Amino acid sequence: MEDSSKIPVHVSIIMDGNGRWAKERGKERFYGHIEGVESVRACTEEAARKGVRYLSLFAFSEENWNRPDEEVRSLMELMVKAMTNELPTFLKNGIRFIVLGNRERLGDALNARIDDCMRRTENQTGLTLIVFMSYSGRWDILQAAKRLALEASADPSRASEIGNMTLTDFSLYMVTSGIPDPDLIIRTSGELRLSNYLLWQGAYSELYFTDVLWPDFRKEEFDLALAEYAKRDRRYGKVK
Ligand code: IPE
Ligand code: IPE
Ligand code: MG
């Protein structure tokens, strides 16, 4: 029997290495993105089975807009397709689906699909699956600060309340408001960086890096990451 106190509440994954996976097989980068969707399915299933409450996935960064148009377009199309295909599974398995990021950049068609998928799963009480799209950590902090500044200028009587804000109060302005910070952040493909992901929310996350490329990251790999997490000693600056 597993010790449920050692199961992270929120696991987040920087899904990296699709292009290299395809290249190793002499195929186009896109082939790796398609195969990566299978890993999303496998990890979602395993996370739910293990009792993880939140699984978040970094699918497309603000910086990824700088990739060639064709890759961006095909990634967006893949996103629509995957969402459409997976919706029945979400409904069947009680999965709540959420997309977070700079939604303004996604376009009307994709946003309509996202809204539909989010609305139809919003009352489900199983695993919450969060996909970060057109997201970056610095953008998130900036949009929070801008919204706060707008509120302050609209209502000067709130000046002292805002002056006394705590870190918890400020967290409510991040796009992840209401979602616990990730306990574990996994990055695949051997890159040892955060690439501007969850800079605020990941302040005390345990980090797990693996050389495995995202399309090869399935159930067994997910379990290995959880096993490693279970061995970590989270001290939060204190002495134990
Ligand atoms: C991750 O795989 C998927 C996205 C960032 C959209 P990459 O496309 O970054 O694959 P590599 O890193 O080039 O192998
Ligand atoms: C990070 O991967 C973004 C996502 C996984 C969505 P990248 O492949 O874009 O990161 P860098 O460019 O290697 O830092
Ligand atoms: Mg990459």
Side-chain angles (χ1 to χ4, degrees), residues 44-58:
T44 304
E45 223 169 78
E46 186 59 4
R49 204 183 67 81
K50 288 277 188 179
V52 170
R53 299 299 302 157
Y54 299 82
L55 175 67
S56 58
L57 305 170
F58 197 14

Side-chain angles (χ1 to χ4, degrees), residues 15-21 29 33 59-60 64 67 71 75 189 191 213:
M15 310 183 290
D16 199 8
N18 295 352
R20 277 163 283 169
W21 188 90
R29 294 176 55 79
H33 297 317
F60 192 88
N64 289 149
R67 292 191 178 193
E71 178 161 352
L75 275 169
S189 87
E191 305 298 350
L213 304 174

